Each structure stands twice: as C-alpha cells, then as structure tokens.
Amino acid sequence: MIAILESFIEGGGVRAWIALALLLVASALSLSAAIGIVRFPDPLVRLHAMAKPQVLGLALALAAVVVAVGTWTALWVVVPVLVFQLVLVPVSSHMIARAGLRSNDYRHEDLLVDDTED
C-alpha cells in the first residue's frame, strides 16, 4: 500500500499532493462526525455531528478523486453522488429527528421551544 502511494505521489506531481491534502481534510471531518455521533447524548444533538461534517468530508473526498484522476469523466461520475448526498442528508436528518421526538428520546430541558407540544 505504501509503495502504491509513493509511486502515485512521485508520478502525479502537484495534483497528487492536492488530492492527498483533500483526502486528509476529508478524513479529519469524517472522524469528527464519528466522534460527535458517539459523544453527544441524544439524537437531536447528534444530527449536527452526523450531517454537516460528513457531507463536507464526502465532498472533499470526491474532489480529491476528481483532482487525482484529472478527467471530465471523473467529474461527471462524482457529481451525481454529491447531488444525491446533498438531497438525501436533510431528509434522513429530518426522519431521525422525528423518530427521536416521537419516541421521547431527547432531553426536554435542553429545548428552548418545543413546537411538538399540544
């Protein structure tokens, strides 16, 4: 694995270094999302850790793929993945929030305004 990475960096030049930097930032964002999901107490708080850094991490990883490959075909393969991610993450976050509210799996004292109360 190390030999493959070394040959890619030596043969790729500046594009390889940019792709490597993008992948490192993407992995750091994905790691922060994973730590937030484990650390935060309830589903409503976990939504922020789940959605925001994960989407940006995936976008940076896909940008690294496009930079590393360097063709228009790679861009057109990556764009639908990013579009689906941007469309479906808010929907899944909303579904998780509704499930958390319906199952009473949240801390009531942390809510400033609860619009679901009757």
Side-chain angles (χ1 to χ4, degrees):
M1 180 71 181
I2 300 296
I4 294 171
L5 183 62
E6 287 175 355
S7 67
F8 173 71
I9 290 175
E10 288 174 6
V14 176
R15 278 193 355 217
W17 286 105
I18 292 172
L20 184 62
L22 287 170
L23 279 177
L24 287 174
V25 173
S27 63
L29 284 169
S30 296
L31 178 65
S32 71
I35 290 171
I37 289 171
V38 171
R39 188 163 187 262
F40 290 144
D42 60 356
L44 297 179
V45 179
R46 287 183 194 140
L47 289 177
H48 297 289
M50 179 182 68
K52 294 174 184 171
Q54 185 262 338
V55 169
L56 186 57
L58 178 69
L60 290 175
L62 293 175
V65 168
V66 170
V67 168
V69 174
T71 63
W72 285 103
T73 306
L75 178 68
W76 292 114
V77 169
V78 163
V79 166
V81 174
L82 187 60
V83 168
F84 284 135
Q85 186 74 14
L86 290 173
V87 169
L88 295 177
V89 164
V91 174
S92 63
S93 297
H94 180 73
M95 296 300 290
I96 292 171
R98 286 186 61 130
L101 285 172
R102 287 184 178 177
S103 66
N104 255 353
D105 188 20
Y106 64 97
R107 296 187 301 181
H108 298 278
E109 64 273 2
D110 288 344
L111 292 178
L112 297 175
V113 176
D114 189 3
D115 292 332
T116 60
E117 287 183 354
D118 291 331

